Amino acid sequence: MRTSTISKTVQLLALGIYSAGILSSCSTQTTQAEAAQTTEVAPDKMPTIMAELTDAPLVPAPITRKHAAKVVVKLEVKEVVKKLADGVDYTFWTFGGSVPGKFIRIRQNDEVEFHLMNHPDSKNPHNIDLHAVTGPGGGAASTFTAPGHETVFNFKALNPGLYVYHCATAPVGMHIANGMYGLILVEPEEGLPKVDKEYYVMQGDFYTKGEFGTPGLQPFDMEKALDENPSYVVFNGSVGALTGDNALTAKVGEKVRLFVGNGGPNLISSFHVIGEIFDNVYTEGGTKTQNNVQTTLVPAGGSAITEFKADVPGNYVLVDHSIFRAFNKGALGMLKVEGDENKRMYSGQIVDKIYQPEGSTVQEMPQSKAPAAAVALNKNSRMELGKTLFAQNCQACHQAEGQGIKGAFPPLAKSDYLNADLNRAIGIVAHGLEGQIKVNGELYNSTMPKLKLSDEEIANVLTYVVNNWGNKGGEVTPAQVKKAKASYKH
């Protein structure tokens, strides 16, 4: 095991910098609605407002008051075991019990009384560095908080913008890598332009001992973190946090604003929404905008605000356009837009004909180091393991509910082709498929790559598929896979 590059001296210095703390009392509180009706008053008579904090992807309501206020923020640190991917758990260190941490929304020139509480069950001291704060450590110097303690400090929000916050207790990288980051928005005095939908999306890279998809409770791997080689790159703390039932939603004609952050700790995000162009991007979370942007860079410890109008109905995929991170490490989300079609703006498919250039062949999925497959104990565990494998290998093409993509990738849901011959399905997964097939009355002529899966894994993923989305059920066994592979003609 390689030793950390952070020297003992640096660690002690960092601990000393962040170990001071101050405590101030909380004044009388009013609601934000009441404060919005309050006229301008002297600083010592400012109305006091309890900040509304939200979990991603939700954000607090826009600020409508026309004056500064004293805003009380109470944020609790919790160390919790949560899902990182299907079948994979991780011990996250969190601001507020979730990754990313709570979204904080204040107004320029607000005076903030910030309370940081560290839950008694925590095993580590923590603090907070808010990039919106002008002062030593961004507040970290005043918030070194032991388990079971609370620290408080005050700051004035001088600069508008969207800012990252994170833990800055040594070793800083490990605290951030375990999920200790979030966003704080300082609205300009005049407020942000009105939109119909606002969402909170934050990317992070995670470093586990096991490779992507290895089941069970995974520990943090310092070697991978130092090498900047994450097992997972995800939005909002887990694979699938923004897909399926958790997808973002909008309607045709609505304006959508995404508050995008990148906790890192290492990777830069190339944030992109497939099928949309950002009308406005507040670059790096500042107050100046760029227009008509396809992909925007979000540095580790940085942010961006993106705005666009939903013009065409359909599913729009959010990705880190360092694209293997999206389809192989988890940095993928979904925005579902409902409404009437506009054929002049987007026609949909109008031609589908065979194009078969000479030399085409079945592709193989590269996999230089295949992790050992977990062995299923029964049908239910086989389905659970198969669910994870489906998300890793199949979901990008066949979609989360097996619906496929019309004209490109055939559906697995209620699939007459699949249900008619499971041995054929085994052969296709093992050896790939080239050529035209008919599924549920529709012709498809795309290439199915050869997947580097073991017999156990093929049995698991097909058992999951045949027991979902209206398929016929049953269990596929490794023995059946071995026999079907040997007899498959392709």
Side-chain angles (χ1 to χ4, degrees), residues 210-255:
E211 299 302 318
F212 183 94
T214 302
L217 179 62
Q218 291 295 317
F220 171 73
D221 189 322
M222 180 62 85
E223 283 289 317
K224 287 184 179 178
L226 291 171
D227 289 340
E228 302 186 6
N229 180 27
S231 310
Y232 297 84
V233 184
V234 299
F235 295 138
N236 290 2
S238 67
V239 177
L242 293 175
T243 62
D245 293 339
N246 299 318
L248 308 180
T249 61
K251 295 179 179 178
V252 168
E254 288 186 328
K255 293 182 179 179

Side-chain angles (χ1 to χ4, degrees), residues 399-419:
Q399 303 295 289
E401 287 83 33
Q403 70 267 34
I405 298 176
K406 186 175 177 61
F409 303 112
L412 300 179
K414 298 181 180 178
S415 170
D416 55 4
Y417 186 85
L418 169 70
N419 290 301

Side-chain angles (χ1 to χ4, degrees), residues 454-469:
S454 67
D455 292 356
E456 177 77 23
E457 289 171 323
I458 293 173
N460 294 344
V461 73
L462 282 176
T463 299
Y464 170 72
V465 170
V466 299
N467 283 278
N468 281 282
W469 316 312

Side-chain angles (χ1 to χ4, degrees), residues 251-253 310-314 337-343 345-346:
K251 295 179 179 178
V252 168
D311 292 305
V312 176
V337 177
E338 296 182 345
D340 296 332
E341 294 185 351
N342 183 336
K343 293 294 187 180
M345 188 171 294
Y346 182 79

Side-chain angles (χ1 to χ4, degrees), residues 263-431:
N266 289 321
L267 303 184
I268 292 172
S269 174
S270 302
F271 186 73
H272 176 75
V273 177
I274 300 174
E276 269 295 351
I277 298 166
F278 302 135
D279 299 325
N280 304 305
V281 173
Y282 295 78
T283 309
E284 297 184 358
T287 52
K288 290 187 177 180
T289 61
Q290 280 187 301
N291 309 119
N292 305 316
V293 176
Q294 59 188 314
T295 301
T296 189
L297 288 176
V298 186
S303 66
I305 303 174
T306 69
E307 297 172 345
F308 56 93
K309 183 180 178 184
D311 292 305
V312 176
N315 293 333
Y316 295 82
V317 182
L318 286 63
V319 296
D320 179 341
H321 216 298
S322 299
I323 208 69
F324 277 98
R325 299 176 190 170
F327 294 106
N328 298 86
K329 293 197 171 185
L332 184 148
M334 189 79 69
L335 170 68
K336 295 183 178 180
V337 177
E338 296 182 345
D340 296 332
E341 294 185 351
N342 183 336
K343 293 294 187 180
R344 293 187 65 186
M345 188 171 294
Y346 182 79
S347 69
Q349 186 180 83
I350 55 177
V351 174
D352 178 13
K353 59 184 180 181
I354 302 300
Y355 174 70
Q356 189 74 15
E358 185 177 354
S360 64
T361 185
V362 172
Q363 304 170 24
E364 292 192 11
M365 295 290 284
Q367 186 170 315
S368 58
K369 183 181 178 183
V375 177
L377 302 176
N378 51 45
K379 178 182 174 182
N380 286 337
S381 68
R382 193 175 298 288
M383 289 173 61
E384 280 299 312
L385 294 168
K387 183 179 180 182
T388 300
L389 288 164
F390 180 84
Q392 295 167 12
N393 297 281
C394 316
Q395 183 171 302
C397 296
H398 294 290
Q399 303 295 289
E401 287 83 33
Q403 70 267 34
I405 298 176
K406 186 175 177 61
F409 303 112
L412 300 179
K414 298 181 180 178
S415 170
D416 55 4
Y417 186 85
L418 169 70
N419 290 301
D421 190 344
L422 271 181
N423 288 330
R424 177 177 60 187
I426 292 168
I428 291 171
V429 173
H431 300 293

